[in-house]
Amino acid sequence: MKYDVDKFNAYFAEHPADISIDDIDMARIPRHVSCIMDGNGRWATARGLSRGEGHKAGILALQEVITACVRMGVDVLSAYAFSTENWNRPQAEVNLLMHLFAKTFVDELPLLKRENVRVEFLGDISALPKKTRDVFEYGLEQTRSHTGMTLALAVNYGARAELTRAARLIAEDVASGRLAPEDVDDSAVASRLYTSDLPDPELVIRTSGEMRVSNYLLWQIAYSEFYITDTYWPDFDRWGLVRAIAAFQGRDRRFGGLSAQ
């Protein structure tokens, strides 16, 4: 996706930092950046706040990263918002998250429209509360024709559940004769994942210093580059994204082969 040079320069000039945007090669921006947004609760606890306040602050961080990705010309931004395991959290926290999801989506729809961002969801949103689901489906319809960056939000998502679903769909197609067993290959699996219309992530960012993937995009991140930062998600900003992309551009991506350098 092309970026608007004037908007790009103005956006990154708003809040100067100790890193320069000149450290980025704009011709080598990753097409798909994916964020495991971790540390909302610990950010809040460190400040004597409720976990709910941490989630609210995390939404503001996501808003900034969305805008920064649009300004930098990223094609796809995906974000791990709510896992299949998150249902095990206290009910009050789950209820708050569902409320925040719905409210934020309504509040941010004008921004998504203005920036031509198309939204899609990874995961089974049919299991969400009706109010949240209705807002999500409305947002999908409102942004369906947008041609700018794709924002893929993983909600009620688990990679094992996604792969199990793909295996079941393949089994059904083989049993019905729509697919021959010998035609079950990588593309057959990939085409039945939630991300079937998206490129695989080139860069995965995980905040809060945790060194795990947490059942996230296990198939899709086979050759992704990882960037781990100790920064809690609510403190991750446009310059955190710049640092991550600078680190990505410094990697030698061999995909199992020998270095080209």
Side-chain angles (χ1 to χ4, degrees), residues 165-200:
R165 172 180 174 272
R168 184 170 59 250
L169 292 172
I170 288 172
E172 291 172 354
D173 285 344
V174 169
S176 68
R178 293 189 297 268
L179 182 68
E182 59 269 23
D183 291 332
V184 178
D185 56 13
D186 283 7
S187 63
V189 177
S191 67
R192 291 165 175 81
L193 300 178
Y194 291 118
T195 54
S196 60
D197 63 330
L198 302 176
D200 289 341

Side-chain angles (χ1 to χ4, degrees), residues 148-244:
M149 187 182 79
T150 296
L151 173 63
L153 297 171
V155 181
N156 194 27
Y157 173 87
R160 289 181 174 180
E162 177 184 36
L163 290 168
T164 300
R165 172 180 174 272
R168 184 170 59 250
L169 292 172
I170 288 172
E172 291 172 354
D173 285 344
V174 169
S176 68
R178 293 189 297 268
L179 182 68
E182 59 269 23
D183 291 332
V184 178
D185 56 13
D186 283 7
S187 63
V189 177
S191 67
R192 291 165 175 81
L193 300 178
Y194 291 118
T195 54
S196 60
D197 63 330
L198 302 176
D200 289 341
E202 293 174 80
L203 171 61
V204 176
I205 299 167
R206 177 152 195 163
T207 55
S208 85
E210 300 295 348
M211 306 291 281
R212 56 179 180 270
V213 297
S214 299
N215 196 22
Y216 182 58
L217 299 182
L218 296 179
W219 176 279
Q220 298 88 336
I221 63 175
Y223 281 102
S224 300
E225 296 293 329
F226 277 74
Y227 178 82
I228 310 296
T229 174
D230 289 334
T231 302
Y232 292 142
W233 178 253
D235 287 330
F236 192 80
D237 59 10
R238 67 194 76 185
W239 294 107
L241 180 66
V242 168
R243 291 184 177 89

